[in-house]
Amino acid sequence: MKRISCFLTALVLTTALLAGCAADTPADALDSTQPAETLQIAGPTDTPKTDALPTPEPTEEPKAPDALPEEPLPEGGRAWTLTALDLEENITFDPTEQGDAITLFVYTTEDEGGAVTTWVDIEGTAFELDGENSMFCGAWLYMKDLMPVLFTAVDFASDDYNLTAWRIADGRPVKTGELPGTIEGATADGQLIVGSPVSVLGTWWTTRIYDVDAEGAPVPAEDSLYEIVPVEDGELRTTRPLPVEMLDAQGYKKAELPAGAMLTPLATDDTSLFYFILDDGREGRIKFERKEGEIFIGGKADVECFETLWYAG
């Protein structure tokens, strides 16, 4: 009886113990078919990079402009072009900008006696420009404010250049003016630079600035002078006291240079004034007058006032 009681007591304790363990364990832990739980540890790939650059959104390529913007005109300036032409070289231009293009070219002919004549062909029609016995030196097409002007230069003798202007109107050349010289270029605002010899106290090669007026004629720019191109040994030495006007802060004042003074020519208006600079840097001018093809200074012929004057011809 004691053995049975002890066995029963042990059986009850064992059953109670098993029941308590089952109550503390989750039901799924008792299922052998469920996978074991794995501890997840955050790694480097799970941490956002604060220094990473954002991915740029796709952008469209900028479209090329239909045409380049026109360069702004200088203040007070006008649109212009100057094109040097070779003989028999075609040039096409549209003076109206309305699709009315014109093609022309310049050429020369020579007769049996060697006389040369300059012509221009405009849209298949030939026009005589410069007469016989002249040597072609150059041609230029000048455009300003949509007005085409053809310039031609010929040489009648040694450096005896003549420049003629022809406005192209209604398909033909119309002569608008002429002057001694030849075109050497243009300024930044479209004024023409014309080179020519000038004979005042010697013969000098000079340049002068010209505008083109509304009719297509070349006219000297306001206050422009014949600027004398410096030459080696081009100084002038006085042989007697010479009346001049010296420049100071207040303008030109009468003065007198002694014999033996050295003058470097600067410019002239070819009419009554000749500008110079002295060795010490002072500037002045000489007033002169023309009489019967000669130049006089203070009543004396120029050849009496200087040691040597080099005149061409």
Side-chain angles (χ1 to χ4, degrees), residues 183-265:
I183 291 179
E184 294 192 355
T187 65
D189 58 356
Q191 294 175 303
L192 298 178
I193 303 172
V194 177
S196 66
V198 171
S199 294
V200 178
L201 304 186
T203 300
W204 314 94
W205 186 258
T206 68
T207 59
R208 191 172 191 179
I209 306 300
Y210 284 80
D211 287 313
V212 176
D213 66 17
E215 299 301 319
V219 293
E222 186 177 1
D223 297 327
S224 67
L225 296 169
Y226 293 97
E227 306 287 342
I228 295 174
V229 178
V231 296
E232 187 176 356
D233 299 327
E235 296 87 355
L236 302 176
R237 183 187 295 272
T238 60
T239 57
R240 60 192 306 144
L242 188 71
V244 298
E245 293 182 346
M246 299 303 298
L247 180 64
D248 62 17
Q250 284 73 42
Y252 287 96
K253 295 182 178 180
K254 291 184 178 181
E256 184 178 85
L257 294 180
M262 296 291 291
L263 291 69
T264 297

Side-chain angles (χ1 to χ4, degrees), residues 166-185:
W166 312 83
R167 179 167 52 88
I168 307 301
D170 299 324
R172 62 185 302 112
V174 178
K175 187 175 180 179
T176 57
E178 61 183 322
L179 65 150
T182 182
I183 291 179
E184 294 192 355

